[in-house]
């Protein structure tokens, strides 16, 4: 085994990629900028294979199909042979299809036990970050604020980054394979009706979720993934050059050029018509139309003028991440020692990684979480919610201020956008929606039937969000100064069932700011529970 050789495996929804590199001049590297500038690895081998691991006879996408698993195992065996030939250390990353699959663990365990390949499943925001690291190796854009677009088979990642720092990342369940399965009979027919239904679905999915990107802005747009490569191929590959697969790198296409290509593609209503287009990549023929519809919506909504094609993406990002881990440079992450006792839980680990990713004030978040747990338990006789609700409250408490990364103004709304589109590992779509709404309502407006993000929930879910958001709102007020001055909280009844005393216990100086904030925020719980709450400060004496 040669520790200076790294094999990166990208297990995507549409295809699996392998890249093997040899590292050089690594020992003195101390920063991402230096790592990029010094060109510290040479690519020894590349391989790409179409797998479509969640595609089978039933067009389902929530499970890895037997056919897909068989294709995956066959390809991974080929990869393993090449990796052993080069004597490289393996780092494998799985994205959307495997991330969401109900039978994910069965597949992961089989590969580990039988092939010796340990696969890490990453969240949507981690995936976007790794793609960004890869792009920085391929293009001279370190000092530019870029918008990164990666349209994969199962999801679309959008990211704003500058100087190695991610300003915003989102993952949408809009992938070319996913939409081909959902709207186009797996990519066999493309009627006008099917296309219109797909367009409406894409528009509804993006809806207001592009606002953080619009606010942050960007200097340059970078496109990665097979979809972008397919557009470049149609634009720049001569007919006589029609080969099985060729990639393009650091070439640019304008909106007008894209419109010409997309118009030609979207006129097709049958797969044979798509395949008849000169220079089409036939392996992507079934999915190029849904991918084009996704890109078209992004370009139009964000008023993009030009897109630069980059052939470096997730697999190159995996290499940079692996370099950091192998040589303990800790270039891109800081450890969160305060949370070591929490990270055994996969869901909590995913939440904390998202918090770290967006530089959340973790000490404040952990104190708000602690207070929220206490208040939840003290008021349990009124709300009668279960431990599952408490778990969602904990996650919302840790992420409630994550929107500050974009702007302090309306940060609660940006918190909603970030959480909703983060592609958290281990959560259902509904759970992510609930957590993002709890965080959204920790300040300013209360949950309202007029709000698009709230109205679609069931009555039980609306009740849950209202109560947990009110508890979080009060918890945040009791940590107003970010100094963790509240040590304990107790609720006492005066005996008549309507009047209650909430005792706020402290160690040193009276938490007067927290007391004032609580006076205002307690009213929401008073209204919900039809009670009156008196506040009292009490110093803890030893």
């Amino acid at each position: 085994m040669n520790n200076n050789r790294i094999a990166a495996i990208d297990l995507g929804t549409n295809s699996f990629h392998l890249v093997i590199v040899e590292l050089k001049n690594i020992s003195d590297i101390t920063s991402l900028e230096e790592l990029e500038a010094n060109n510290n690895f040479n690519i020894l081998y590349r391989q790409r294979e179409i797998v479509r691991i969640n595609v089978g006879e039933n067009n389902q996408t929530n499970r890895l199909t037997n056919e897909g698993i068989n294709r995956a195992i066959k390809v991974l065996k080929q990869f393993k042979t090449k990796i052993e030939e080069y004597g490289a250390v393996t780092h494998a990353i799985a994205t959307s299809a495997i991330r969401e699959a109900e039978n994910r663990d069965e597949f992961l365990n089989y590969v580990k036990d039988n092939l010796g390949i340990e696969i890490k499943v990453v969240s949507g925001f981690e995936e976007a970050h790794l793609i960004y690291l890869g792009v920085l190796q391929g293009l001279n854009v370190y000092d530019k604020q870029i918008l990164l677009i990666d349209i994969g088979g199962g999801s679309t990642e959008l990211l704003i980054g500058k100087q190695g720092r991610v300003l915003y990342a989102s993952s949408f369940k809009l992938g070319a394979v996913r939409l081909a399965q959902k709207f186009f009979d797996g990519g066999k027919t493309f009627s006008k009706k099917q296309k219109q239904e797909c367009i409406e679905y894409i528009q509804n999915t993006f809806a207001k979720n592009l606002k953080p990107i619009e606010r942050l802005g960007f200097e340059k747009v970078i496109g990665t993934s097979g979809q972008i490569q397919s557009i470049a191929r149609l634009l720049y590959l001569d007919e006589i050059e029609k080969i099985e697969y060729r990639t393009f790198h650091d070439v640019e296409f304008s909106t007008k050029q894209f419109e010409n290509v997309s118009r030609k593609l979207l006129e097709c209503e049958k797969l044979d018509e798509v395949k008849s287009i000169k220079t089409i990549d036939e392996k992507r023929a079934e999915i190029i139309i849904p991918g084009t519809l996704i890109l078209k919506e992004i370009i139009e909504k964000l008023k993009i003028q030009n897109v630069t094609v980059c052939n470096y993406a997730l697999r190159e990002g995996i290499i940079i991440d692996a370099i950091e881990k192998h040589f303990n440079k800790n270039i891109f992450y800081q450890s969160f020692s305060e949370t070591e006792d929490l990270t055994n839980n996969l869901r909590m680990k995913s939440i904390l990684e998202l918090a770290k990713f967006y530089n959340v004030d973790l000490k404040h978040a952990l104190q708000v979480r602690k207070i929220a747990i206490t208040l939840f338990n003290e008021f349990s006789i009124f709300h009668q919610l279960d431990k599952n609700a408490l778990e969602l409250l904990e996650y919302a408490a840790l992420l409630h201020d994550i929107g500050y990364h974009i702007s302090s103004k309306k940060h609660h709304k940006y918190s909603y956008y970030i959480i909703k589109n983060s592609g958290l590992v281990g959560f259902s779509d509904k759970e992510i929606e609930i957590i993002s709404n709890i965080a959204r309502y920790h300040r300013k407006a209360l949950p309202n039937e007029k709000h698009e993000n709230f109205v679609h929930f069931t009555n039980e879910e609306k009740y849950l969000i209202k109560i947990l958001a009110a508890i979080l709102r009060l918890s945040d007020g009791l940590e107003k100064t970010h100094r963790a001055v509240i040590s304990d909280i107790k609720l006492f009844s005066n005996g008549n069932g309507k009047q209650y005393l909430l005792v706020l216990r402290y160690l040193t100086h009276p938490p007067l700011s927290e007391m004032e904030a609580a006076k205002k925020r307690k009213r929401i719980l008073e209204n919900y529970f039809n009670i009156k709450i008196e506040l009292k400060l009490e110093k803890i004496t030893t």
Side-chain angles (χ1 to χ4, degrees):
M1 189 75 68
N2 185 343
N3 284 333
N4 281 323
R5 289 184 174 181
I6 294 175
I9 302 176
D10 166 10
L11 292 86
T13 302
N14 181 57
S15 56
F16 286 7
H17 295 256
L18 167 67
V19 60
I20 300 174
V21 305
E22 184 155 39
L23 310 178
K24 59 179 183 177
N25 304 324
I26 293 296
S27 59
D28 298 325
I29 299 300
T30 59
S31 70
L32 174 59
E33 185 174 15
E34 191 177 348
L35 183 61
E36 179 193 24
N38 288 347
N39 186 21
N40 289 281
F41 61 79
N42 293 323
I43 295 176
L44 304 177
Y45 179 80
R46 285 184 183 273
Q47 186 175 345
R48 163 188 175 265
E49 300 292 341
I50 302 296
V51 174
R52 295 181 187 168
I53 191 169
N54 62 348
V55 174
E57 293 180 357
N58 299 321
N59 284 349
Q60 58 184 343
T61 57
N62 63 335
R63 289 184 62 81
L64 307 179
T65 64
N66 290 333
E67 304 98 309
I69 289 173
N70 289 336
R71 291 192 294 268
I73 298 300
K74 180 180 178 181
V75 168
L76 289 174
K77 285 180 178 178
Q78 294 174 17
F79 285 3
K80 182 177 173 62
T81 299
K82 277 296 177 183
I83 292 168
E84 290 176 344
E85 180 182 324
Y86 282 92
V89 178
T90 304
H91 293 263
I93 296 292
T95 58
S96 177
I98 297 174
R99 180 167 65 230
E100 298 172 27
E102 295 172 355
N103 55 339
R104 174 186 69 191
D105 291 342
E106 180 184 334
F107 171 72
L108 297 177
N109 291 334
Y110 179 89
V111 172
K112 182 179 179 181
D113 294 341
N114 292 275
L115 299 182
I117 299 174
E118 188 161 359
I119 300 168
K120 179 184 178 183
V121 180
V122 295
S123 63
F125 69 87
E126 288 178 286
E127 181 182 350
H129 181 228
L130 289 172
I131 294 168
Y132 179 43
L133 294 182
V135 166
L136 291 179
Q137 304 310 300
L139 295 174
N140 184 24
V141 293
Y142 186 83
D143 290 319
K144 292 185 182 295
Q145 183 149 316
I146 70 164
L147 166 63
L148 172 63
I149 302 171
D150 186 277
I151 301 171
S155 63
T156 291
E157 274 64 50
L158 299 178
L159 175 145
I160 298 288
K162 185 176 183 179
Q163 295 181 334
R165 179 169 171 255
V166 176
L167 305 179
Y168 177 71
S170 55
S171 180
F172 299 93
K173 291 187 176 182
L174 294 172
V177 174
R178 186 194 296 269
L179 297 188
Q181 298 294 102
K182 187 177 182 67
F183 294 102
F184 301 108
D185 192 25
K188 296 182 179 68
T189 61
F190 307 98
S191 69
K192 290 181 181 178
K193 182 182 177 183
Q194 287 173 308
K195 279 180 276 202
Q196 186 55 42
E197 289 175 350
C198 184
I199 289 168
E200 290 174 3
Y201 182 80
I202 294 168
Q203 290 175 339
N204 290 334
T205 302
F206 282 135
K208 296 180 180 179
N209 293 309
L210 300 181
K211 282 190 174 183
I213 294 174
E214 292 172 341
R215 175 177 175 79
L216 289 166
F218 46 86
E219 300 171 66
K220 191 177 183 67
V221 180
I222 309 297
T224 62
S225 79
Q227 175 61 35
I228 302 291
Q229 287 288 337
S230 293
I231 297 299
R233 181 185 177 97
L234 292 171
L235 284 169
Y236 298 116
L237 190 66
D238 293 335
E239 290 183 31
I240 58 172
E241 287 186 296
K242 187 174 180 182
I243 53 178
E244 184 176 350
Y245 188 71
R246 174 186 162 184
T247 58
F248 291 84
H249 181 69
D250 201 11
V251 298
E252 189 175 79
F253 61 83
S254 67
T255 300
K256 186 174 181 180
Q257 287 176 298
F258 172 72
E259 286 174 354
N260 292 335
V261 169
S262 64
R263 189 181 304 113
K264 189 175 183 180
L265 285 168
L266 298 179
E267 285 173 353
C268 299
E269 296 196 0
K270 294 181 180 179
L271 181 57
D272 287 344
E273 294 175 39
V274 178
K275 288 184 175 181
S276 70
I277 297 174
K278 304 297 183 184
T279 72
I280 196 81
D281 178 3
E282 291 191 5
K283 289 185 177 181
R284 296 191 65 86
E286 295 95 338
I287 62 174
I288 193 169
I289 285 181
T292 298
L293 291 174
I294 297 168
L295 182 57
K296 188 172 187 292
E297 184 66 16
I298 295 170
I299 285 174
E300 290 177 358
K301 277 284 172 60
L302 296 176
K303 299 178 174 59
I304 293 169
Q305 299 300 315
N306 297 284
V307 177
T308 299
V309 181
C310 182
N311 190 38
Y312 283 57
L314 179 61
R315 46 219 172 266
E316 287 78 19
I318 295 170
I319 293 163
I320 300 303
D321 190 54
I323 292 172
E324 181 260 309
K325 287 182 173 66
H326 266 285
F327 296 92
N328 297 315
K329 292 298 180 185
N330 203 20
I331 296 171
F332 311 120
Y333 294 100
Q334 294 180 348
S335 63
F336 270 38
S337 58
E338 299 96 328
T339 64
E340 287 176 359
D341 59 329
L342 300 176
T343 54
N344 290 330
N345 180 320
L346 173 65
R347 284 152 64 98
M348 180 63 80
K349 185 177 181 181
S350 185
I351 292 287
L352 291 172
E353 285 176 348
L354 182 62
K356 174 174 65 174
F357 194 74
Y358 283 101
N359 299 312
V360 165
D361 179 350
L362 196 65
K363 288 184 178 179
H364 169 67
L366 288 169
Q367 176 67 3
V368 172
R369 169 181 172 267
K370 176 183 174 183
I371 293 171
I373 292 171
T374 302
L375 290 177
F376 181 94
N377 291 328
E378 291 298 303
F379 285 103
S380 61
I381 58 171
F382 301 109
H383 58 67
Q384 297 185 339
L385 295 172
D386 60 18
K387 63 180 182 180
N388 295 322
L390 175 58
E391 186 183 1
L392 298 180
L393 174 61
E394 287 186 63
Y395 299 143
L398 289 169
L399 299 178
H400 72 284
D401 276 346
I402 198 168
Y404 268 115
H405 191 80
I406 295 176
S407 174
S408 58
K409 185 179 180 181
K410 299 182 179 179
H411 75 268
H412 55 297
K413 292 185 178 181
Y414 291 120
S415 293
Y416 167 79
Y417 293 131
I418 290 173
I419 298 167
K420 182 186 175 188
N421 301 311
S422 60
L424 289 163
V425 175
F427 293 87
S428 68
D429 291 347
K430 182 66 71 175
E431 287 174 320
I432 292 174
E433 275 279 340
I434 290 173
I435 295 168
S436 61
N437 272 275
I438 296 168
R440 184 252 184 269
Y441 291 116
H442 85 272
R443 66 189 293 269
K444 297 296 184 178
L446 298 178
N448 191 305
E449 294 289 341
K450 294 180 180 179
H451 295 166
E452 292 179 11
N453 56 284
F454 183 72
V455 68
H456 62 85
F457 288 106
T458 65
N459 289 335
E460 291 79 9
E461 291 163 350
K462 289 175 182 175
Y463 173 78
L464 175 74
I465 292 167
K466 285 180 178 180
I467 298 302
L468 298 186
I471 291 174
L472 178 56
R473 188 180 293 239
L474 179 55
S475 303
D476 192 40
L478 290 171
E479 169 58 1
K480 185 174 179 61
T481 59
H482 290 223
R483 293 190 293 118
V485 290
I486 302 292
S487 297
D488 192 25
I489 301 171
K490 292 293 181 183
L491 183 70
F492 298 97
S493 170
N494 68 359
N496 66 8
K498 291 292 182 181
Q499 301 285 337
Y500 289 83
L501 179 67
L502 192 66
V503 178
L504 311 176
R505 307 184 72 203
Y506 64 97
L507 281 170
T508 54
H509 303 291
L512 300 180
S513 295
E514 281 74 11
M515 182 72 163
E516 286 304 309
K519 285 179 181 177
K520 298 176 182 177
R521 302 185 185 204
K522 71 181 177 70
R523 295 169 190 162
I524 302 170
L525 288 175
E526 288 178 324
N527 290 335
Y528 286 162
F529 299 146
N530 192 26
I531 59 175
K532 288 294 181 182
I533 302 170
E534 180 185 349
L535 299 175
K536 179 184 177 182
L537 294 177
E538 181 180 284
K539 186 171 184 178
I540 298 173
T541 56
T542 56

